[in-house]
Amino acid sequence: MTKKLWGGRFKKEMNKDFYRFQQSIQYDWRLGMYDVFHSLIHIRALVHTNVLSASEAYKLERALADILKEIQSGEFRYHPGSEDIHTEIQNRLETRVGEIALKLHSFRSRNDQIAFDVTFFCVHEAQRIFALLLALQANLHELAREHKHDFFIGYTHTRRAQVIRFSQYLLGFESMLHRDQHRFDDFAKHTYVFIGSGALAGSYIKSEDYTKAITRFTHTYCKHLPVKISLVKNSLDNVSNRDTAIQFLSHIATLQMHLSRMAEDFILYSTPEFAYLELPEEFCTGSSYMPHKKNPDFLELVRGQTGRIYGNLTALLTTMKGLPSTYNRDMQLDKEPLFSSVDIIKEELTLMAEFVKGLNLNRETVAAVLKDETLYATEIAEFLVGKGVAFRKAHEIVGKLVMHAEDNEVRLTDMTDNGLKTFSEHLNKKVLHKIISPAFAVSSKRSLRR
Ligand code: ARG
């Protein structure tokens, strides 16, 4: 147990096990950088308020700069006895600069610090996730470009539907990731990190003094880390706001749902039963018992992580439900779900970007399936519409035609002109030969820009 930030009104020592139970340093050390940022702003506000002299502020800032360097270089090690990151930094400052450090907490509270730290973390991580998303999208784009002349089979209800391009299939994923990209971008651009709540009621520091301190900090630190910091609007709400974190977790959950669906598709289409895709071997594992196996474990783990990521969102929503006004200690439990989801999603995005580079299309299997003439049934109906047949009629005609072919085990392209005429006067051998082709099917989709 290191020196605590409180204790004056207590007669008894804290129960050791309870002390451990309520510690958060083992995970909130990750917020160190943001906590230093809070202090850097607060110090300047205290100078304007005449609580700190210029030279005291300078000493504190120098010591904080050293701590920041340690944090940014990855050398930062917390004292396992510290209660939390705020206490850890306060104690370090006291060791380095002595008594002055004890002034730093004037007119601020950990409740304000933690709201600031958590929000700053979310915004910063949203920017990182955004960058990783761009990289994955770029690799999908590249793969689509390499395959721009290849066909693929489009499914609905996991049943063969219509012919598509393989590039179109891949860009379908890119398109859903594009929405995620916008969500994280909006989140990073429009989320404010507030300061100045005090414990809940506000701070003795004048708003203009805080604002000056914020502006100074922003000029120095936010060039490479574009984050909007502002004087708090409602202090009560700010110390108890975790919906920013919830929104962030929900964006991660949606992105995870997309990655999971992508994983599922790649698993399915690479089974020997489909065999459309060949997975990169570096991302597969073997079986300890069955020598022939090449298992899609990477994809299965991506799909499996959905449980944890949805769970993390549900955990925080549930923690927040029913909390009375302003800060409650329950809110300390926001960190682990938050860190867990951020770590998982970043790892998945990094790996998935590599994975898609090695994805191979099995052109032979696809070509064999493209011979299935039912894949062109919709295009035949569309042809009839072009000839003036009402679509519902055309649908019926082609339905009957397909049934006839199935019942009589005959290919549509082998049927005679006379046979075809019994279904529609517009159908003949030549027409069907033209329509039943992958190139015709994809080029007839004029709504798509190529
Ligand atoms: N460790 C706390 C958290 O993460 C920081 C705020 C503590 N405030 C308090 N009054 N105990 O929420």
Side-chain angles (χ1 to χ4, degrees), residues 402-420:
V402 167
M403 184 172 72
H404 169 87
E406 218 172 86
D407 289 350
N408 297 286
E409 289 178 29
V410 55
R411 290 185 63 76
L412 299 178
T413 39
D414 288 341
M415 284 174 68
T416 62
D417 283 347
N418 278 342
L420 288 167

Side-chain angles (χ1 to χ4, degrees), residues 35-36 38-46 51-52 57 60-61 64 86 89-91 93-94 97-109 113 205 210:
D35 211 60
V36 168
H38 189 285
S39 291
L40 288 172
I41 299 173
H42 194 69
I43 286 169
R44 282 294 136 187
L46 288 178
V51 170
L52 288 175
L60 281 169
E61 282 167 344
L64 281 169
H86 324 296
I89 292 178
Q90 166 83 59
N91 289 346
L93 285 176
E94 196 181 342
V97 299
E99 291 264 304
I100 315 164
L102 305 181
K103 291 187 173 180
L104 178 58
H105 217 60
S106 320
F107 313 130
R108 80 164 175 184
S109 151
Q113 283 174 266
I205 296 170
Y210 247 133

Side-chain angles (χ1 to χ4, degrees), residues 47-67:
V47 172
H48 297 307
T49 317
N50 295 322
V51 170
L52 288 175
S53 69
S55 76
E56 287 174 328
Y58 182 64
K59 279 187 195 137
L60 281 169
E61 282 167 344
R62 284 245 320 254
L64 281 169
D66 288 344
I67 297 176

Side-chain angles (χ1 to χ4, degrees), residues 5 17 71 74 92 105 116 133 150 162 203 208 224 239 267 280 283 335 345 349 414 426:
L5 298 183
D17 294 329
I71 293 172
R92 276 183 187 227
H105 217 60
F116 177 98
L133 265 167
D150 286 309
Q162 286 185 283
S203 171
E208 47 285 22
H224 305 294
V239 293
I267 292 170
F283 285 90
K335 287 5 140 255
I345 207 80
L349 287 169
D414 288 341
H426 303 292

Side-chain angles (χ1 to χ4, degrees), residues 2 51 53 74 101 155 158 169 193 261 282 330 348 352 356 378:
T2 60
V51 170
S53 69
Y155 283 76
T158 335
Y169 169 73
V193 179
R261 292 188 64 186
E282 319 85 90
D330 317 43
E348 285 177 346
M352 192 59 103
V356 297
T378 312

Side-chain angles (χ1 to χ4, degrees), residues 35 99 101 143 167 186 287 369 373:
D35 211 60
E99 291 264 304
L143 192 65
S167 56
D186 278 354
S287 155
V369 176
E373 294 180 319

